[in-house]
Amino acid sequence: MLWALCLGLAGALLTAGVERTRAASARAEASTARKDLAEFRATQAESGRLAERAARNTEQTWRARVDGVIQDGQKQIAAARADAASAADAERRLRTQLAAFRAAVRTASTAPTPAEGGAAAADPLDLLADLFGRADARAGELARIADERGAAGTTCERHADATESK
């Protein structure tokens, strides 16, 4: 009977040793799994940071391109306005010269007076000068509008080109 008791005790000790080994193995596996999970999370966090940095760099690149396009567009519009102002100054000078010319022509000419009871005919020179003056003023206004809109359209096209993914 002692043998049976010794065998039972040896079996119990053997079973306890096996269970203890299994428990240690399970703890080691759990530790490895926790370590793998921590490494995975760190890798994912780093990937997220890199992706965010790349997105920020792309956004900054686009912003720099767009800012350059906007500045160039503003310069073009300012140049168009300056050209329009210069053309308006030239128009004013021409009108002044035309007025002086018309006055000189009037004083130099000895136009006969209209017949009794008839209305005075408009001076053809005045009519022609007025017609050309109004046409020139309208053409100048249309040119100014066209220049500004052309510069704005070019700016929009360049803005779209600058923000395309390349």
Side-chain angles (χ1 to χ4, degrees):
M1 176 127 116
L2 187 56
W3 283 98
L5 190 58
C6 281
L7 274 176
L9 183 61
L13 287 175
L14 184 63
T15 303
V18 168
E19 288 303 316
R20 188 171 187 180
T21 303
R22 277 191 200 165
S25 176
R27 280 193 297 271
E29 286 178 16
S31 176
T32 301
R34 279 191 294 273
K35 179 182 163 195
D36 290 346
L37 179 61
E39 287 175 3
F40 175 76
R41 285 180 178 167
T43 301
Q44 291 302 311
E46 182 63 21
S47 294
R49 282 190 294 276
L50 292 174
E52 184 179 345
R53 185 178 306 140
R56 254 191 253 123
N57 288 342
T58 300
E59 182 180 345
Q60 288 172 350
T61 300
W62 286 356
R63 173 55 42 203
R65 286 182 193 164
V66 167
D67 287 347
V69 166
I70 289 170
Q71 289 173 357
D72 288 346
Q74 288 172 342
K75 287 177 185 176
Q76 288 178 352
I77 290 171
R81 288 180 179 162
D83 289 346
S86 177
D89 289 341
E91 177 190 3
R92 281 189 286 281
R93 287 191 304 274
L94 285 175
R95 284 185 187 271
T96 302
Q97 290 175 355
L98 179 61
F101 176 73
R102 285 174 28 196
V105 167
R106 276 197 199 105
T107 56
S109 71
T110 54
T113 58
E116 189 76 26
D123 184 8
L125 183 61
D126 289 340
L127 288 175
L128 186 60
D130 185 49
L131 175 67
F132 283 139
R134 284 187 282 157
D136 184 55
R138 184 65 181 151
E141 179 67 18
L142 292 175
R144 182 189 62 78
I145 291 169
D147 287 345
E148 285 183 15
R149 302 256 167 93
T154 300
T155 300
C156 286
E157 289 173 358
R158 291 181 62 213
H159 179 279
D161 291 343
T163 57
E164 282 183 359
S165 296
K166 291 182 180 181

